[in-house]
């Protein structure tokens, strides 16, 4: 590709081409700290709005209650999940698995069509890094060049004050984020109770919170873009997911090359230069330290900062915007913009259908889930002179918030069901277990192993039907033969 060739030549210095080194590792093999310039522009403003909404949702959601319970809860300790106010139990595992598979397909199709839109606009790592921690850094340490100067200067009062204030604020935010995560796991009421008890009464939880806080603090204070560059599996998948039609943040090398500095009042078209004035504004704003003019790179999180930076340069020198823009490789090489094409529309339709299927499954899943098992190591019992009985165990999971009285009926045969103990009532959001007898007239049984069906009712409403076996004496099989 001509673009690649040109930039390779341009980039060959003592570090070789951009393919020979990582932007965040210096010549000495140590971490090269990135000081990106604060972006400005239309896309940055839009991303800021999206980030503010997502941050508000993240911090407010644990406080939202629905019918007295959290609106969202991921209690892995008690295996209880509430998603958008709907209770889920391990019995709903198949729906969760389907939802996860759909989500993975969604991510794959979405990425094939729209590239790393997720990374730039909605990924928690980008949102916290660029719109929380980086903003605090700009506030305390100043612009990118002031930050670079501060890092290079010897430790004096100003540096100690700014660095310690920054890290104190970082740690405090990491502590708030860790507590918010815990609220998603155990619920805000439980968290409040833990806080009121104090750390000494709950030393394990307190240590867990400090560990969480330490991890968040380390990621956002030190590890930063390395999460996207070397840890995130989604980032690693880009090379197999993207193709020439995927929408990415791309540099229009056909229009931009050959790049060259702008000489005053020069007519670029007649001077043989492309539209790129080699000002490197797109490089200085990049949070992963790359040069988008080298083409699509794994490090690019599609944050659009370079689009805004280049657009403002183009505006200043009176050239059309969009030298760096959302486009596909094909769109750039063939010179026509193609954000929406037949392929993206087809993929979007598949995604819509998948989401619809999962939403339907979620909506129509049963309110009460039942599991019936014959009590292990038991055979049939004589029940008076004319009947046999088998003993079963039933487990009922109530996924609603109201108490559900349950009635069992033998559907497949004439016979009775006798529940042992109190009447079967499953409390809202609870699990109830009970034993019961199925009693059948001996004349009903044809073999020693009979398939029976038990209906489970709430009043007159059939909740579900359950198939199991009823054991009789082996002599029945001989009579059949
Ligand atoms: S900001 Fe635009 S003009 Fe400046 S170097 Fe980048 S691509 Fe070229
Ligand atoms: S190349 Fe542009 S879009 Fe990609 S990470 Fe850097 S600034 Fe963001």
């Amino acid at each position: 590709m001509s673009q690649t060739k040109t930039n390779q030549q341009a980039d060959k210095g003592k570090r070789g081409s951009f393919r020979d080194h990582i932007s965040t590792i210096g010549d000495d093999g140590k971490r090269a700290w990135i000081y990106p310039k604060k972006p400005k522009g239309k896309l940055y403003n839009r991303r800021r709005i999206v980030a503010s909404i997502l941050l508000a949702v993240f911090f407010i959601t644990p406080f939202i209650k629905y019918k007295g319970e959290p609106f969202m809860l991921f209690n892995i300790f008690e295996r209880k999940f509430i998603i958008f106010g709907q209770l889920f139990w391990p019995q709903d595992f198949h729906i969760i698995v389907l939802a996860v598979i759909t989500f993975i397909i969604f991510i794959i199709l979405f990425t094939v069509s729209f590239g790393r839109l997720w990374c730039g606009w909605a990924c928690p790592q980008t949102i916290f890094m660029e719109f929380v921690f980086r903003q605090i850094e700009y506030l305390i340490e100043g612009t990118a060049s002031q930050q670079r100067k501060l890092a290079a200067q010897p430790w004096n009062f100003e540096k100690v004050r700014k660095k310690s204030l920054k890290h104190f604020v970082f740690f405090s935010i990491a502590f708030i984020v860790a507590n918010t995560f815990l609220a998603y796991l155990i619920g805000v009421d439980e968290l409040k109770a833990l806080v009121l008890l104090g750390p000494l009464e709950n030393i394990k939880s307190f240590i867990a919170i400090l560990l969480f806080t330490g991890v968040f603090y380390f990621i956002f204070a030190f590890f930063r873009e390395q999460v996207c560059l070397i840890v995130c599996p989604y980032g690693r998948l880009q090379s197999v997911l993207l193709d020439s039609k995927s929408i990415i943040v791309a540099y229009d090398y056909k229009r931009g090359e050959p790049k060259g500095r702008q000489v005053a009042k020069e007519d670029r078209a007649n001077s043989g230069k492309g539209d790129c004035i080699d000002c490197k504004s797109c490089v200085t704003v990049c949070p992963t330290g790359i040069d988008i003019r080298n083409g699509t790179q794994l490090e690019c999180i599609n944050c659009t900062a370079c689009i805004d930076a280049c657009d403002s340069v183009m505006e200043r020198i009176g050239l059309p915007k969009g030298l760096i823009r959302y486009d596909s490789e094909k769109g750039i090489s063939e010179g026509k913009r193609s954000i929406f094409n037949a392929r993206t529309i087809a993929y979007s339709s598949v995604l819509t259908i998948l989401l619809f299927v999962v939403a339907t499954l979620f909506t129509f899943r049963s309110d009460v889930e039942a599991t019936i098992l014959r009590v292990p190591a038991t055979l049939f019992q004589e029940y008076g002179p004319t009947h046999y009985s088998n003993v079963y165990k039933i487990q009922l999971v109530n996924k609603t918030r109201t108490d559900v009285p349950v009635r069992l009926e033998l559907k497949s045969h004439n016979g009775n069901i006798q529940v042992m103990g109190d009447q079967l009532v499953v409390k809202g959001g609870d699990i109830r277990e009970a034993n019961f007898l199925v009693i059948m007239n001996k004349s009903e049984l044809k073999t020693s192993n009979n398939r029976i069906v038990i209906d489970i009712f709430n009043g007159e409403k059939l909740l579900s039907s359950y198939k199991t076996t009823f054991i009789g004496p082996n002599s029945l099989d001989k009579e059949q033969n």
Side-chain angles (χ1 to χ4, degrees):
M1 193 195 300
S2 63
Q3 170 227 15
T4 310
K5 217 186 242 173
T6 315
N7 287 307
Q8 266 181 328
Q9 283 156 1
D11 281 356
K12 269 182 187 163
K14 66 175 177 163
R15 301 186 71 196
S17 94
F18 73 97
R19 295 191 196 285
D20 302 328
H21 69 265
I22 297 171
S23 54
T24 53
I25 297 180
D27 293 330
D28 53 1
K30 290 189 183 152
R31 170 92 173 268
W33 199 261
I34 308 270
Y35 298 96
K37 212 172 140 193
K38 190 173 179 177
K40 265 194 286 189
K42 195 172 74 183
L43 287 168
Y44 183 68
N45 291 341
R46 286 182 191 167
R47 281 175 64 221
R48 198 160 45 189
I49 293 169
V50 172
S52 308
I53 293 169
L54 292 176
L55 284 168
V57 168
F58 172 72
F59 285 111
I60 291 170
T61 301
F63 293 93
I64 301 175
K65 296 252 175 114
Y66 178 70
K67 296 191 176 169
E69 289 208 274
F71 187 60
M72 294 289 239
L73 182 79
F74 303 92
N75 194 335
I76 45 175
F77 313 108
E78 291 173 15
R79 297 188 297 161
K80 183 180 176 183
F81 304 91
I82 304 175
I83 302 169
F84 299 117
Q86 296 287 311
L87 274 173
F88 290 91
W89 292 90
Q91 284 77 0
D92 293 313
F93 191 66
H94 62 289
I95 301 180
I96 304 279
V97 169
L98 196 70
V100 170
I101 292 171
T102 306
F103 184 68
I104 292 169
I105 296 172
F106 175 89
I107 290 281
I108 291 171
L109 295 187
F110 188 85
T111 310
V112 170
S113 299
F114 302 107
R116 297 179 78 168
L117 215 56
W118 159 263
C119 299
W121 290 77
C123 172
Q125 166 69 21
T126 309
I127 291 195
F128 274 106
M129 188 67 245
E130 302 306 323
F131 295 98
V132 179
F133 289 89
R134 192 93 72 196
Q135 300 303 319
I136 291 162
E137 209 158 53
Y138 289 133
L139 219 60
I140 297 173
E141 292 188 355
T143 61
S145 54
Q146 286 169 331
Q147 288 175 24
R148 204 175 283 115
K149 208 170 130 209
L150 186 73
Q153 76 185 42
W155 284 97
N156 54 16
F157 176 72
E158 189 207 7
K159 186 166 175 174
V160 170
R161 184 180 63 80
K162 285 186 173 171
K163 290 282 177 193
S164 44
L165 176 62
K166 180 181 90 170
H167 286 284
F168 172 74
V169 177
F170 276 11
F171 193 82
S172 307
I173 291 175
F175 186 70
I176 294 169
V177 173
N179 275 278
T180 310
F181 263 107
L182 193 62
Y184 276 99
L185 294 181
I186 61 174
V188 82
D189 293 336
E190 191 80 9
L191 177 68
K192 216 187 285 174
L194 286 179
V195 172
L196 290 176
L197 272 176
L200 292 178
E201 296 293 320
N202 266 295
I203 200 74
K204 278 190 197 156
S205 316
F206 187 63
I207 290 172
I209 282 279
L210 282 186
L211 279 174
F212 264 132
T213 306
V215 170
F216 287 125
Y217 168 70
F218 172 73
I219 288 175
F220 293 110
F222 304 104
F223 205 49
R224 303 191 151 199
E225 74 289 335
Q226 298 300 312
V227 172
C228 313
L229 304 193
I230 57 179
V231 178
C232 175
Y234 179 59
R236 305 301 85 215
L237 276 175
Q238 297 308 310
S239 50
V240 287
L241 294 180
L242 298 182
D243 66 15
S244 62
K245 286 183 188 161
S246 306
I247 303 301
I248 47 169
V249 171
Y251 165 67
D252 187 343
Y253 56 88
K254 286 201 132 185
R255 187 186 138 193
E257 300 295 320
K259 58 173 95 65
R261 291 262 165 199
Q262 173 75 7
V263 180
K265 293 190 185 149
E266 175 189 37
D267 180 354
R268 293 188 73 84
N270 290 332
S271 67
K273 291 179 187 168
D275 282 357
C276 174
I277 61 166
D278 205 13
C279 64
K280 295 201 167 51
S281 292
C282 51
V283 183
T284 54
V285 289
C286 180
T288 60
I290 58 168
D291 186 342
I292 191 66
R293 296 171 301 165
N294 289 324
T296 310
Q297 293 149 75
L298 273 182
E299 292 95 329
C300 176
I301 55 167
N302 277 215
C303 73
T304 71
C306 54
I307 299 184
D308 279 334
C310 189
D311 277 354
S312 83
V313 172
M314 291 295 115
E315 207 170 18
R316 220 168 41 235
I317 61 172
L319 289 173
K321 293 180 186 178
L323 180 56
I324 302 175
R325 61 178 182 266
Y326 274 125
D327 208 330
S328 64
E329 164 53 28
K330 215 174 166 68
I332 296 228
S333 59
E334 291 175 7
K336 49 178 189 251
R337 295 192 176 195
S338 60
I339 290 193
F340 290 102
N341 50 41
R343 182 168 152 279
T344 53
I345 292 165
Y347 281 161
S348 306
S349 312
V350 174
L351 294 181
T352 312
I353 293 167
L354 279 173
L355 290 176
F356 179 74
V357 169
V358 174
T360 310
L361 277 175
F362 272 114
T363 311
F364 293 106
R365 77 203 167 102
S366 60
D367 288 345
V368 177
E369 193 87 40
T371 314
I372 297 175
L373 290 173
R374 231 161 22 79
V375 173
T378 58
L379 289 173
F380 66 94
Q381 298 88 37
E382 293 274 355
Y383 194 90
T386 53
H387 288 74
Y388 290 126
S389 71
N390 279 194
V391 58
Y392 298 83
K393 187 183 204 75
I394 185 167
Q395 187 192 61
L396 292 154
V397 180
N398 185 354
K399 299 174 193 167
T400 68
R401 286 181 173 74
T402 47
D403 296 355
V404 177
V406 168
R407 180 168 54 83
L408 305 177
E409 254 179 41
L410 187 61
K411 182 188 180 190
S412 53
H413 294 72
N414 285 325
N416 291 318
I417 290 185
Q418 239 175 51
V419 178
M420 300 173 189
D422 301 337
Q423 198 211 340
L424 263 185
V425 178
V426 203
K427 290 206 176 97
D430 206 354
I431 298 175
R432 167 86 197 268
E433 286 183 354
N435 287 342
F436 66 91
L437 288 177
V438 173
I439 304 156
M440 277 207 271
N441 197 302
K442 290 178 179 176
S443 61
E444 283 283 320
L445 303 180
K446 302 284 178 268
T447 67
S448 63
N449 200 333
N450 302 273
R451 299 289 290 165
I452 60 167
V453 180
I454 297 169
D455 278 348
I456 301 159
F457 286 94
N458 168 21
E460 290 313 307
K461 183 182 167 198
L462 177 67
L463 298 174
S464 62
S465 290
Y466 208 92
K467 289 192 185 112
T468 181
T469 53
F470 186 96
I471 302 290
N474 286 337
S475 56
L476 290 170
D477 299 333
K478 287 180 197 142
E479 281 168 26
Q480 283 293 312
N481 295 331

